[in-house]
């Protein structure tokens, strides 16, 4: 007689890019998946991410390698349909404030030393390298990284969810705060705020800045360095910008519908968190960010904010991703990282592989939650 092994049942807490990506990769491998979101899909950090696809600057070698692999997966997706208006590779441009040109040059030298495609440009060289930028905004020099890109994560989530539903995934929206249930020291499923329970062989906690709070009742301490942030989307405007801009007063990227997405961190002190958990910011501060962004765009078009979203930007306490199984609670995995966009596809792929096979992937070795124990 022969027996067929039962299908692995996985419950995922979090309807952002890390949860959705892992869910789809699991479904492709034959798992049964239930995905639970506190509210809607992409309702938290995934819905307000600049989502610049890169590994620019200096970071640990394992983190750089993982990010480069992350960008590679997006390139594969892009190659399948370069016409998608929510995923493009137009490069990235960064510069420092006046008087800090030496720091920009040092960053370029480092990027060159590790084989990361990096061009150090004088302001007058920028228009020939990439369109849509006002060179007068650049004080001394700038770096152009031709291999970088951007993605609009809500559209990517929608795209992945089509496959999720086609493969029989189960979705629970508006589940409220979801907790991990444990039996005999092992993750056994999840429970919603209303008391509904779902049994599972494995649980993945992928709820952004809330991840440390979800695993804390399990006796797991993951330091949380998540700041409050904002993403602004402008009204449609004529512009020729292709690259993502990372500058001293504004970060800017193209966005579907001929709009622009804007963010930065200088205005964090102007954001107010209310007792109900909502956030607000003065309208004039939002417009100030748009005005700063206008100075970067060729022709300096008038930029008007159409919408803005505020909330916590997921950043682990030591800045490095937290990916993998909890040592204290077997069967419970976590996915918590600042680079959710860049790592979205690769992290889902590698976590799904670990969940399905039990084999630990070497690229995740330094990112495991056990490092905080």
């Amino acid at each position: 007689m022969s027996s067929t092994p039962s299908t692995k049942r996985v419950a995922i807490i979090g309807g952002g890019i890390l949860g959705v990506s892992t869910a789809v990769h699991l479904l492709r491998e034959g798992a049964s998946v239930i995905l639970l979101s506190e509210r809607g899909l992409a309702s938290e950090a995934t819905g307000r991410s600049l989502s610049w696809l890169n590994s620019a600057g200096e970071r640990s070698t394992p983190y750089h390698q993982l990010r480069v692999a992350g960008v590679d997966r997006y390139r594969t997706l892009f190659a399948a349909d370069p016409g998608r208006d929510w995923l493009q590779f137009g490069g990235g441009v960064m510069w420092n404030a006046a008087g800090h040109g030496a720091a920009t040059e040092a960053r370029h030298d480092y990027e060159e030393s590790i084989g990361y495609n990096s061009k150090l440009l004088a302001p007058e060289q920028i228009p020939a390298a990439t369109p849509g930028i006002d060179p007068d905004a650049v004080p001394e020099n700038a770096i152009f990284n031709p291999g970088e890109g951007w993605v609009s994560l809500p559209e990517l989530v929608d795209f992945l969810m089509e496959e999720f539903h086609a493969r029989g995934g189960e979705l629970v929206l508006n589940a409220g705060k979801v907790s991990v249930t444990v039996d005999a020291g092992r993750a056994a499923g999840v429970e919603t705020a209303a008391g509904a329970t779902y049994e599972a062989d494995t649980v993945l906690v992928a709820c952004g800045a809330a991840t440390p709070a979800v695993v804390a009742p399990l006796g797991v301490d993951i330091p949380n360095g998540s700041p409050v942030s904002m993403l602004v989307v402008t009204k449609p405007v004529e512009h020729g910008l292709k690259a993502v801009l990372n500058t001293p007063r504004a970060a800017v990227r193209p966005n579907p519908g001929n709009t622009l997405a804007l963010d930065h961190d200088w205005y964090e002190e102007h954001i107010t968190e209310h007792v109900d958990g909502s956030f607000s910011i003065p309208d004039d501060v939002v417009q100030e960010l748009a005005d700063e962004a206008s100075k970067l765009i060729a022709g300096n078009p008038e930029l008007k904010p159409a919408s803005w979203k505020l909330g916590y930007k997921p950043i682990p306490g030591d800045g490095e991703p937290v990916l993998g199984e909890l040592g204290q609670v077997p069967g419970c995995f976590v996915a918590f990282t600042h680079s959710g966009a860049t790592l979205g596809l690769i992290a889902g792929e590698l976590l799904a592989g670990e969940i399905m096979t039990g084999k630990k992937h070497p690229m995740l070795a330094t990112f495991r939650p056990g490092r905080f124990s």
Side-chain angles (χ1 to χ4, degrees):
M1 295 178 64
S2 63
S3 62
T4 302
S6 59
T7 300
K8 186 178 284 288
R9 175 72 165 167
V10 183
I12 297 177
I13 307 173
I17 182 56
L18 291 171
V20 170
S21 172
T22 307
V24 170
H25 281 97
L26 285 166
L27 289 165
R28 289 174 182 171
E29 296 300 316
S32 168
V33 178
I34 180 168
L35 178 70
L36 303 97
S37 182
E38 180 177 0
R39 294 183 290 163
L41 295 170
S43 59
E44 291 295 335
T46 290
R48 43 181 163 77
S49 169
L50 190 72
S51 44
W52 166 32
L53 307 177
N54 78 95
S55 189
E58 191 169 351
R59 54 182 50 83
S60 70
T61 297
Y63 195 8
H64 172 68
Q65 292 173 338
L66 189 62
R67 290 175 70 118
V68 169
V71 174
D72 170 77
R73 297 305 190 271
Y74 279 103
R75 287 199 165 278
T76 301
L77 182 60
F78 173 76
D81 182 1
R84 295 187 177 111
D85 65 355
W86 46 264
L87 174 61
Q88 291 293 309
F89 281 90
V93 178
M94 75 77 59
W95 63 81
N96 286 301
H100 295 274
T104 308
E105 187 171 347
R107 174 171 169 145
H108 162 70
D109 290 344
Y110 175 79
E111 291 177 348
E112 273 202 324
S113 76
I114 60 171
Y116 194 73
N117 197 352
S118 181
K119 313 294 182 187
L120 186 66
L121 304 176
E124 62 272 14
Q125 295 176 302
I126 292 175
T130 183
I133 301 171
D134 185 348
D136 292 337
V138 185
E140 296 163 51
N141 52 14
I143 294 172
F144 177 48
N145 300 116
E148 297 176 352
W150 61 269
V151 61
S152 181
L153 289 178
E155 283 87 347
L156 174 59
V157 166
D158 287 344
F159 171 79
L160 292 174
M161 287 304 294
E162 291 182 11
E163 182 175 352
F164 175 91
H165 291 300
R167 291 184 179 274
E170 183 181 350
L171 176 64
V172 179
L173 298 176
N174 301 306
K177 303 290 185 183
V178 179
S179 59
V180 181
T181 59
V182 178
D183 182 27
R186 181 180 177 83
V190 297
E191 182 175 359
T192 70
T197 58
Y198 301 91
E199 293 183 355
D201 304 299
T202 306
V203 176
L204 171 66
V205 181
C207 36
T211 297
V214 173
V215 300
L218 306 176
V220 177
D221 179 29
I222 297 178
N224 195 347
S226 303
V228 179
S229 67
M230 173 176 69
L231 185 78
V232 176
V233 175
T234 70
K235 294 180 179 179
V237 62
E238 291 298 322
H239 69 86
L241 186 67
K242 300 296 183 184
V244 180
L245 305 184
N246 181 14
T247 81
R249 291 285 291 176
V252 185
R253 68 157 167 83
N255 196 56
N258 222 29
T259 61
L260 295 168
L262 323 173
D263 87 349
H264 213 271
D265 59 8
W266 57 259
Y267 46 74
E268 287 178 9
E269 62 186 32
H270 297 286
I271 299 175
T272 300
E273 182 173 5
H274 303 284
V275 293
D276 65 354
S278 63
F279 299 87
S280 64
I281 189 171
D283 290 2
D284 61 337
V285 177
V286 180
Q287 185 59 56
E288 184 178 355
L289 175 62
D291 293 342
E292 293 285 357
S294 173
K295 299 173 185 177
L296 312 177
I297 309 299
N300 307 129
E302 183 180 18
L303 300 182
K304 289 295 183 183
S307 65
W308 52 96
K309 297 179 179 179
L310 302 105
Y312 285 102
K313 177 185 293 185
I315 301 181
D318 64 358
E320 296 269 300
V322 186
L323 302 166
E325 190 172 18
L326 300 178
Q328 302 95 319
V329 188
C332 183
F333 288 69
V334 295
F336 176 37
T337 178
H338 175 38
S339 47
T342 298
L343 300 186
L345 299 180
I346 187 66
E349 175 186 325
L350 300 186
L351 287 170
E354 291 199 348
I355 290 169
M356 293 300 289
T357 68
K359 297 178 181 177
K360 291 186 174 359
H361 198 286
M363 290 191 77
L364 302 184
T366 64
F367 305 123
R368 303 200 179 279
R371 70 181 187 268
F372 300 116
S373 300

